[in-house]
Amino acid sequence: MVTYDGIRHDVAVNTYIEEADRALGALGYTEHSFAHVTRVAETAGRLLEQLGYGARAAELARIAGYLHDIGNLVNRVDHSQSGAVMAFRILDKAGMDARDLAAVVSAIGNHDEGSGVPVNPIAAALILADKSDVRRTRVRNRDRSTFDIHDRVNYSVDSTSLDLDCESKTLTLRLAVDTAYGSVMDFFEIFHTRMSMCKNAAQTLGLRFGLVINGQAVI
């Protein structure tokens, strides 16, 4: 059985992640390397575990999370689709069960804003984990005078948490934002589509999504 532990120790997979992140760095994008994909994998798996989807579904969510950005190795444009094709080859070669493989590939192919849809619980968990990873340490640029809006927004976030309340069926993204670096309006300018995706993904899991910035409910 193909496992998350096996995938994250695969030398070829880790090379693809490293080189995909290197390509994004050359384009000026924020960090998409091991810190990001590991955080996304762990968050997605934890969500499905807490919601009672079972150990295997959680494991598939972790695998999808770890592999979700490898398509950036090909090109940033349509990276979710190219990443899904790359993941299919990797997981099929590793002998993954066809139904599990289909779920993971669908999730990766649908994780990006614009064309992504939470087509299954694994895709929904991946979307929520990916879009909620907003943090200062993802900013590569150390010259604050040259920050673009993505740098400003990520750098402004002092802390992030994605809190699940199973009793009330709510999932809340809480951000502590230092407005000296980026405003709440900056956040919405680049994250509006992502938050809409999170809302739809939460609904797929039977949850209501909320966003709280500096203690104030926004959605």
Side-chain angles (χ1 to χ4, degrees):
M1 184 175 289
V2 180
T3 65
Y4 169 56
D5 192 57
I7 291 299
R8 69 189 183 95
H9 287 99
D10 186 288
V11 174
V13 166
N14 288 333
T15 299
Y16 302 151
I17 292 171
E18 286 178 344
E19 292 303 318
D21 183 57
R22 194 188 310 277
L24 289 182
L27 295 171
Y29 280 83
T30 53
E31 177 267 324
H32 284 69
S33 191
F34 297 110
H36 173 62
V37 299
T38 301
R39 181 168 177 151
V40 170
E42 298 292 344
T43 300
R46 184 171 62 252
L47 271 176
L48 292 191
E49 279 182 338
Q50 291 175 333
L51 289 168
Y53 279 89
R56 188 56 183 164
E59 186 80 344
L60 295 178
R62 292 186 184 98
I63 292 170
Y66 198 75
L67 295 175
H68 80 283
D69 269 341
I70 58 173
N72 287 301
L73 180 65
V74 179
N75 198 295
R76 178 62 181 174
V77 177
D78 296 330
H79 76 280
S80 56
Q81 287 82 6
S82 54
V85 173
M86 290 176 67
F88 178 88
R89 183 182 182 279
I90 292 165
L91 298 174
D92 186 51
K93 185 178 178 182
M96 179 175 274
D97 170 79
R99 196 168 298 278
D100 288 349
L101 180 53
V104 171
V105 167
S106 292
I108 294 172
N110 278 281
H111 84 270
D112 199 42
E113 57 264 30
S115 61
V117 178
V119 293
N120 57 41
I122 294 165
L126 175 57
I127 288 168
L128 288 161
D130 183 38
K131 306 315 172 192
S132 65
D133 187 19
V134 190
R135 51 187 164 81
R136 179 168 296 174
T137 51
R138 293 192 69 185
V139 178
R140 304 178 200 262
N141 185 0
R142 296 300 173 224
D143 183 358
R144 296 178 196 170
S145 67
T146 62
F147 276 4
D148 64 11
I149 188 170
H150 293 85
D151 291 334
R152 291 200 306 272
V153 167
N154 279 278
Y155 197 84
S156 70
V157 177
D158 288 324
S159 65
T160 309
S161 66
L162 189 62
D163 301 330
L164 173 64
D165 187 328
C166 291
E167 185 174 343
S168 63
K169 295 185 180 298
T170 59
L171 184 68
T172 306
L173 175 59
R174 301 182 190 276
L175 304 175
V177 174
D178 185 342
T179 55
Y181 300 108
S183 69
V184 173
M185 287 305 296
D186 281 342
F187 178 89
F188 274 101
E189 184 175 337
I190 65 170
F191 279 88
H192 174 71
T193 303
R194 300 180 196 184
M195 293 302 99
S196 294
M197 282 191 79
C198 286
K199 181 179 178 182
N200 292 336
Q203 288 175 346
T204 297
L205 298 175
L207 303 170
R208 185 174 68 255
F209 180 75
L211 174 63
V212 175
I213 299 178
N214 291 346
Q216 298 295 316
V218 179
I219 58 174

